[in-house]
Amino acid sequence: MATKLRILVPVKRVIDYAVKPRVNKAQTGVETNVKHSMNPFDELSIEEAVRMREAKKPVEDILAFSAGPAKSQDILRTAMAMGADRGILVQEDNVELEPLGVAKLLKKVVEQEDRNLVILGKQSIDDDANQTGQMLAGLLNWPQATQASKVDIADDGAVTVTREVDGGVETLKAKLPMIITTDLRLNEPRYASLPNIMKAKKKPLDKKTLKDYGMDGEKRLKTIKVTEPPARQGGGKVEDVDGMISKLKELGAL
Amino acid sequence: MVAPIRNGVLRRAATCLRQQRSTPTIRPMSREALRRLASTLAILEQREGKLNLSSLASVSAAQKLGGSVHGFVAGSNIKSVADEASKVEGLEKVIYVENGAYDKGLPENFAPLLVENIRKGGYTHVLAGHSAFGKNLMPRVAALLDVQQISDITDIEGEDTFVRPIYAGNAILTVQSQDQVKVVTVRGTAFAAGAVEGGSGAVEEGTDPKAECPTEWVSEDLAKSDRPDLATAEKVVSGGRGLKSKEEFDKLMPPLADALGAAIGASRAAVDSGFADNSLQVGQTGKNVAPQLYLCAGISGAIQHLAGMKDSKVIAAINKDPDAPIFQVADVGLVGDLFEKVPELTEKLKSS
């Protein structure tokens, strides 16, 4: 009998990728009163899970999960409109979890919800840490395939993953249960249609808190400050190719 | 256990150092105290018996921390790699583990291997490059050690204080770690690799826990190229959507790269459209480069692309749109049709 896939897809609400973040005056973070969206890599995770079901893989259910402020439920609704079956939100308005904390939380979700496949984005575009999936794999002692550009799951639960590495790709094979993180090359996420957005409103969304999982918001890293990167001054334009070459020579680049 | 005591001392030294920032006369002494106390394990990469030189950035970063610096390598026929690494300046000792199971750097067994050797050595810091290998492996190590890793650092301010870009390089974060062991990945372009000659480190065998690896490495497909490695090249020429097709990309970019002795990069748009291989992508989700010269054509300059190249010494851009954001960061901008300008530039560079 084919191994049933019980998929967990963690998603994060982040500042929209097209918004240029601005550092706040107090130098404690960036201005957050801007457009937010689902982390682009997490859209790929949902898409991949939904495609597995569409490819007639034995998907039992797809659980979308997020931890963050109340507004994170918008992101979960989006995930459900794309095809996730249900959602869990750990609502914490004033706690910022670090990747290690998220990984610990996800471990508990994996255990409680009896998951055997977790698909995460390779990094969130706000903290750019690229850690959570690997940490979760370590805590669960499961195999991991990061930066996946192709995933194939056989009936017997063997998973073949092609991953993006420096200089090319490599292919790995492991067995479920497993952790996969997505690279941009994996797929092209779909847009949620209006009927699906309406349907998603009726899908179950459980609200929980860190306490429900026996956790607190302990942090290991202390933000000392957040600053603007040194501004680069555009050096102006040249008229022609000769101008370009002489300017490059002048700057010592040639 | 010796580690906690040692760490307490280290922390006091660091606190002392911080408090004395304003009195530079005392600072060198505190620095000295720190140097004696920090001990760093720098994870080195190897490939088929060859030391990966770009992974030596972790050694340079470790030297900035002060204290003793040990290197770590594992794989088959590793002794020669260890010997090679022992000549790297700044490495006091190289720890090697001879076992073919580690050749492909699979984190399922490499992480327990590192944890064992980190504990045995009582290191205060563990550093690796923020490469595909380091990104894949180090968070797993950090989780096993119950440590919050600090990724892709670009500077070190103290034994527990690190600087790293966030939001695609649009903000710079300074963080202080409260963890006993600092697990850190290092941006290669921010720490120049030191000399590979002149050092005389000891070579010592490490412990091998021989953890089982549930993952099987099947195959790889690496882009072959005689050009300099993109991540470490002195010069990079990069093409974007403006090149319109793979044919044009292949016609225009390689000759320009050859004329300059440069590596070839590409924007995400060019990669997504199939003009260039994925591994050439420069940007937030691709490679970070900081060459002496970054010359790009047909790239508008989206923030995700700028994230990967704006630390270049000199940026030159050719684009037909005078309002393209790339011109706001370019030191030298040329507004024009790249199909004319790039060949002309290639010819003139060749003849000059």
Side-chain angles (χ1 to χ4, degrees), chain B residues 267-279:
Chain B
S267 71
R268 184 180 163 203
V271 169
D272 279 352
S273 311
F275 304 175
D277 191 76
N278 294 342
S279 60

Side-chain angles (χ1 to χ4, degrees), chain B residues 38-117:
Chain B
S39 71
T40 303
L41 189 65
I43 315 305
L44 308 180
E45 295 177 40
Q46 63 107 12
R47 186 173 184 83
E48 284 155 13
K50 273 228 152 89
L51 186 64
N52 180 345
L53 296 181
S54 58
S55 70
L56 296 180
S58 61
V59 177
S60 326
Q63 282 177 287
K64 208 165 170 182
L65 275 167
S68 59
V69 185
H70 297 176
F72 184 91
V73 283
S76 50
N77 300 320
I78 204 70
K79 186 67 177 23
S80 61
V81 182
D83 287 338
E84 191 186 345
S86 70
K87 297 192 182 72
V88 171
E89 214 171 351
L91 278 181
E92 211 169 90
K93 192 199 280 183
V94 177
I95 295 165
Y96 71 94
V97 172
E98 169 77 42
N99 185 342
Y102 302 122
D103 275 345
K104 300 301 177 188
L106 295 171
E108 289 83 350
N109 60 1
F110 214 115
L113 168 72
L114 281 180
V115 168
E116 188 98 354
N117 284 281

Side-chain angles (χ1 to χ4, degrees), chain B residues 135-181:
Chain B
K135 280 190 265 194
N136 195 26
L137 169 68
M138 296 306 276
R140 193 164 176 129
V141 173
L144 295 178
L145 291 169
D146 194 29
V147 164
Q148 176 52 54
Q149 176 182 309
I150 305 161
S151 295
D152 204 18
I153 63 156
T154 50
D155 202 1
I156 293 172
E157 289 204 343
E159 63 102 8
D160 59 0
T161 308
F162 305 88
V163 180
R164 58 181 300 265
I166 52 174
Y167 293 94
N170 283 292
I172 308 296
L173 169 69
T174 306
V175 286
Q176 187 179 12
S177 167
Q178 336 255 334
D179 283 316
Q180 291 264 317
V181 182

Side-chain angles (χ1 to χ4, degrees), chain A residues 1 10 19 28 51 58 60 67 96 100-101 110 123 129 133 146 162 167 179 192 194 218 223 234 240 243:
Chain A
M1 209 191 81
V19 173
T28 54
R51 284 189 190 191
E60 193 172 292
E96 244 182 87
L100 183 65
V110 164
Q123 77 192 64
T146 57
T162 302
I179 306 290
L194 187 58
E218 182 215 19
T223 297
D240 51 22

Side-chain angles (χ1 to χ4, degrees), chain A residues 127 131 171 173 220 232 235 238, chain B residues 146 148 179 216 312 330 333:
Chain A
D127 71 1
Q131 297 173 2
T171 303
K173 217 169 168 176
R220 308 292 186 81
R232 252 198 114 96
V238 291
Chain B
D146 194 29
Q148 176 52 54
D179 283 316
E216 180 197 343
S312 306

